[in-house]
Amino acid sequence: MDVIFLGPPGAGKGTQAQILEERDGIRQLSTGDMLRRNRAAGTELGRKAQAYMDRGDLVPDDVIIAMVEDELNKPGDVLFDGFPRTVTQAEALDAMLRRHDRQAAVVLFAIPLEAVEERLTGRWTNPKTGRVYHEKFHPPARPGIDDDGTPLVQREDDKVETVRKRLDVYERQTSPLIDYYGDRLIPIDATKALQTVTAELAAKLKGAVA
Ligand code: AP5
């Protein structure tokens, strides 16, 4: 079964997706990471997305939907991290899942928006692998450096002003998905410590598959 992670920026979606990918082998499909990789490689898609991302706006739906559709032709279960983000994207994903005869569990990372600002401004990322740390809540073994020796960096869009814009965009454009999915949502308490969230997620996903 595929899995969709829904929730505000900084709720911990990417962190939990990486844990599930390593533990269960489900393929993390992070639209944010895909866009950042395109940007770093200087592709046409990356150039198109850059201005939107730097401002904290969403990249247009048609660009994102085409990018995801390609990925669904590959084998194996997929964990959608950061997609869908609008009702248009959710409708497109439902249609794609039907076409490919796939089903998805939808997990909502429930956390008040006030709680995520500190998580984002203290986040450090491995630019090669996308692995995520936090200077206070989930520090790397060596400050500023990942286990593979790569220096960690802060994301351009994690500056305070851009974080506030992203939270506003989430409220206006993405939170309507809570009504869209309605009874299908599996809520988890994303305010808890990282390992507690991992345990709740595992238990609830097991229940969804059974
Ligand atoms: P994207 O990369 O998807 O960013 P996001 O959704 O804003 O999500 P984040 O990566 O910021 O947060 P997260 O929930 O993954 O949190 P994380 O696990 O890192 O999108 C970036 C941009 O790309 C968008 O603004 C848009 O422009 C574009 N884009 C992407 N997808 C798009 C789409 N579908 N449509 C249109 N545009 C799109 O955790 C955050 C921090 O908290 C980390 O430091 C972590 O260590 C820490 N942490 C995690 N869990 C906990 C915990 N339980 N307790 C304490 N700290 C924790």
Side-chain angles (χ1 to χ4, degrees):
M1 186 185 245
D2 294 328
V3 178
I4 297 168
F5 278 179
L6 182 64
K13 305 179 299 294
T15 300
Q16 298 298 333
Q18 283 164 7
I19 293 171
L20 276 189
E21 187 171 59
E22 276 165 27
R23 198 191 57 202
D24 300 343
I26 187 166
R27 184 159 58 97
Q28 177 194 14
L29 198 160
S30 158
T31 42
D33 285 348
M34 288 165 82
L35 293 167
R36 280 184 287 277
R37 278 197 294 272
N38 271 280
R39 221 165 65 167
T43 67
E44 159 108 41
L45 171 63
R47 276 196 296 277
K48 246 191 224 171
Q50 174 138 19
Y52 295 98
M53 295 175 80
D54 287 349
R55 294 200 291 271
D57 274 326
L58 295 184
V59 174
D61 286 334
D62 54 340
V63 175
I64 298 287
I65 291 165
M67 188 174 83
V68 170
E69 175 99 68
D70 279 352
E71 292 290 324
L72 279 186
N73 293 318
K74 299 179 186 164
D77 289 341
V78 173
L79 195 168
F80 296 97
D81 167 16
F83 177 86
R85 280 251 229 309
T86 62
V87 171
T88 303
Q89 291 182 17
E91 288 168 348
L93 178 59
D94 273 343
M96 284 185 233
L97 292 173
R98 272 195 301 276
R99 265 201 307 283
H100 290 266
D101 200 20
R102 305 168 78 115
Q103 286 197 325
V106 191
V107 176
L108 174 66
F109 282 64
I111 185 165
L113 296 190
E114 307 79 70
V116 293
E117 195 171 304
E118 188 186 7
R119 289 193 184 181
L120 291 172
T121 51
R123 169 165 61 185
W124 289 83
T125 307
N126 180 326
K128 285 194 197 150
T129 63
R131 179 174 291 281
V132 170
Y133 293 92
H134 191 281
E135 55 197 23
K136 187 160 135 194
F137 305 127
H138 178 42
R142 282 184 293 164
I145 310 214
D146 203 351
D147 296 342
D148 66 0
T150 308
L152 299 168
V153 296
Q154 284 200 290
R155 267 170 50 177
E156 271 299 306
D157 60 349
D158 280 347
K159 296 193 183 98
V160 177
E161 321 78 67
T162 320
V163 163
R164 291 192 181 141
K165 173 75 185 291
R166 285 163 60 203
L167 294 177
D168 179 54
V169 166
Y170 173 81
E171 210 162 16
R172 283 185 292 109
Q173 295 183 259
T174 306
S175 69
L177 291 181
I178 295 173
D179 279 344
Y180 177 88
Y181 285 116
D183 291 349
R184 286 176 64 188
L185 282 181
I186 302 169
I188 58 157
D189 183 353
T191 63
K192 294 279 195 285
L194 210 150
Q195 291 80 1
T196 311
V197 176
T198 306
E200 184 183 354
L201 187 59
K204 291 207 167 153
L205 281 179
K206 205 167 162 196
V209 171

